[in-house]
Structures are given as structure tokens and as C-alpha cells.
Amino acid sequence: MSQKLDSLDIQMPTERVSQQSTSQSQPLNEQNKNLLYSHIYNNQKFKQNILIFFILVIVINFFCNLALLVANCHPQEVIEDNYYLPFHMLDFYGSFFFALSEGCVLILTGIVTIDSIKIYLIILNVGGTLVALILFTFDPEFFEVTSHWIEYSVQLLLTLTDFLFIFQQDKQSLMYKYRFYESCIIILAFIMSFLKLLIYGGVIPTNDQNERMAHFLEYSGEMINDCFAIFFIIIQLNKETQDIMETMQTSLERLLDKNGIELVRK
């Protein structure tokens, strides 16, 4: 299929791919039309399936954080004596997979591109949570404090990443419409993340319950981040479903124009 598609002289906008104008075009016959339709439809369907997968991951992460929040209601001594290792492993794995899923969704939807400065925010989010996870896996007791400091620091950036969901998308989107209200929630979550660092470091006294109090703020903040990501993906899924329906109904010329493809006849 790709070889037949290459037989058409297709010009893309310069910001997407480099222009290839040296090839000779062939008449746009019915076979080539079908190939173009199939190519665009399959691309939209693949994107939709990937978004469905990531929304499942983030929904699972939301309920994992809810379970951790409930488990954290017990005194610190009970946690350490009964379920210390699975409790913390779920914590660190959840943070990493959320950061990875969030980054993939932002790149997949075009909000973050490889050549933009925002990609470094994604790299820091994914890399930081991965380092914390690996260190804790090496030796839970020895690296627990270090891993928590890394994880809590990175979660400040993860919270700020929510601004990308509401400001870097279609101005007709529901999230963009209520962006100022959502910004207040993000700012609140950021303050919670900052207080979490102060509580865990002992700057704010908690009667020797620093880690447990920090966990309450951590899991609450992560659930807020999950909600923003879930809501954004749902909106994107609706958009992809709409695009697929339009692909099935739209004429080829309008479809190519919508996808930024220009056919040059020579």
C-alpha cells in the first residue's frame, strides 16, 4: 500500500514533513483514491485505539490512588508492619505509568511535538518517576527516602503539565471553555504538591506522621491529575470518532484538505 501511495505526488505542510516535489505524479484513479481513503481511515482508527488503551491505564491508576488513599488511613506502624512493600510499589509504579501515559497522549494528539521545548517537560516527568521506581526496586528500605524526594519533586512538574490539557487545544473544546476554573484546581493541586514536600521534609510538624500526611496530599493530587487526563482523552476520543465518521462521508478532496494533503498534478 505504501508503494502505491508513494506513486502520488503528495505535498504536506512544511511543519509536518519536508516537501517532496521531484517525484512524477500519476492520475488519481479509483485505486489510488481507495488507498488514500484507507490510509487516512486506518490512521484515525489506530489513534482512537491507542487513546482507548491509555484512558484504561489512567482510569486504573485513578482507582489505584483511591485504594492507596484508603489504605493510608491506617497508622504508619500498621502500614509498615502489614503491607509496606506492595503499598509503596503500587505508589511508584502508578506514578511512572501515569507520567508515561500522559506523555504519550500529549505527543499523540500533537500538543507536544518532538522539536518543541515542551518535550523536555515530558522527559523530566517520565525520567524522574522511572529513576524513583528503579531506586526503590533496588532496595526499598535504603532508597525509600531518596525515591520519595525524587517522586515528589517530579510531581510538581506533573501537576503543571495539566495546563497543557486546557490551554494547548482547540478553542471550541469544553476544557478550553472552562479553562480559568480548571486553572484554579490545578493551582490548588500544585500548592498541595508543594506542601507535600514541606510536610515530608519535616518543615511542617506532623507528630512523626510526616510520610503518612504527605501521602494523603500525594494521592489526592494524583487523582486530580488523573481526572484532567481522563477528561481530555474522552474529548479527544469523541473528536476521533467524529473524524472517522466524516472520513466515511466526506469527498476525497475535502478529506485531503482537512488532513493537510495537497495533490500536485504535473
Side-chain angles (χ1 to χ4, degrees), residues 188-207:
L188 175 62
F190 181 82
I191 293 173
M192 290 169 59
S193 296
F194 186 72
L195 288 175
K196 177 174 59 184
L197 286 170
L198 299 180
I199 291 174
Y200 188 71
V203 177
I204 299 176
T206 57
N207 298 323

Side-chain angles (χ1 to χ4, degrees), residues 5-255:
L5 283 172
D6 289 340
S7 65
L8 291 173
D9 187 5
I10 301 177
Q11 293 185 357
M12 305 289 286
T14 54
E15 63 272 14
R16 297 175 64 183
V17 293
S18 61
Q19 182 176 356
Q20 298 179 353
S21 58
T22 56
S23 60
Q24 295 296 322
S25 64
Q26 294 182 358
L28 189 60
N29 54 36
E30 286 301 319
Q31 183 180 17
N32 289 331
K33 283 184 180 180
N34 291 334
L35 288 172
L36 284 170
Y37 268 119
S38 299
H39 174 71
I40 294 172
Y41 175 83
N42 291 335
N43 183 61
Q44 292 170 337
K45 197 68 178 176
F46 173 76
K47 187 177 178 181
Q48 184 186 52
N49 292 335
I50 292 296
L51 287 174
I52 291 173
F53 170 76
F54 283 125
I55 198 173
L56 289 175
V57 172
I58 297 175
V59 166
I60 291 172
N61 187 63
F62 175 86
F63 286 104
C64 285
N65 283 316
L66 180 59
L68 288 170
L69 192 63
V70 173
N72 196 59
C73 292
H74 290 287
Q76 188 65 32
E77 296 77 13
V78 175
I79 295 174
E80 292 182 358
D81 292 341
N82 292 275
Y83 48 89
Y84 166 82
L85 187 59
F87 181 82
H88 284 85
M89 290 297 286
L90 187 59
D91 180 348
F92 288 109
Y93 271 99
S95 296
F96 167 68
F97 280 110
F98 172 77
L100 181 62
S101 300
E102 181 184 61
C104 290
V105 168
L106 288 170
I107 293 173
L108 183 65
T109 54
I111 290 179
V112 175
T113 56
I114 302 299
D115 58 347
S116 71
I117 193 171
K118 289 175 288 189
I119 191 67
Y120 297 106
L121 179 63
I122 303 301
I123 292 173
L124 287 174
N125 290 344
V126 176
T129 53
L130 178 60
V131 169
L133 169 62
I134 291 174
L135 290 178
F136 186 82
T137 304
F138 282 161
D139 191 326
E141 293 185 4
F142 183 77
F143 283 114
E144 179 189 354
V145 175
T146 304
S147 296
H148 271 312
W149 276 115
I150 296 173
E151 180 191 29
Y152 291 166
S153 299
V154 171
Q155 282 173 352
L156 288 170
L157 299 177
L158 278 170
T159 303
L160 292 177
T161 306
D162 290 337
F163 281 112
L164 296 179
F165 287 132
I166 61 177
F167 286 104
Q168 301 293 321
Q169 59 171 315
D170 187 0
K171 290 180 171 54
Q172 303 300 319
S173 169
L174 186 62
M175 291 189 76
Y176 188 84
K177 180 179 179 181
Y178 297 102
R179 60 193 180 281
F180 296 113
Y181 300 103
E182 295 163 342
S183 296
C184 293
I185 299 175
I186 296 173
I187 292 171
L188 175 62
F190 181 82
I191 293 173
M192 290 169 59
S193 296
F194 186 72
L195 288 175
K196 177 174 59 184
L197 286 170
L198 299 180
I199 291 174
Y200 188 71
V203 177
I204 299 176
T206 57
N207 298 323
D208 296 327
Q209 293 288 313
N210 299 35
E211 182 178 356
R212 182 166 169 264
M213 294 299 106
H215 279 158
F216 278 121
L217 293 174
E218 176 187 1
Y219 304 137
S220 300
E222 288 189 354
M223 289 170 68
I224 293 175
N225 292 337
D226 288 329
C227 288
F228 272 102
I230 290 169
F231 191 33
F232 173 79
I233 296 175
I234 289 174
I235 292 175
Q236 292 299 311
L237 279 173
N238 290 335
K239 182 177 178 297
E240 289 303 318
T241 302
Q242 232 175 4
D243 289 345
I244 289 175
M245 294 302 296
E246 288 181 6
T247 298
M248 299 171 67
Q249 299 173 2
T250 307
S251 66
L252 182 60
E253 289 73 17
R254 288 179 57 196
L255 185 61

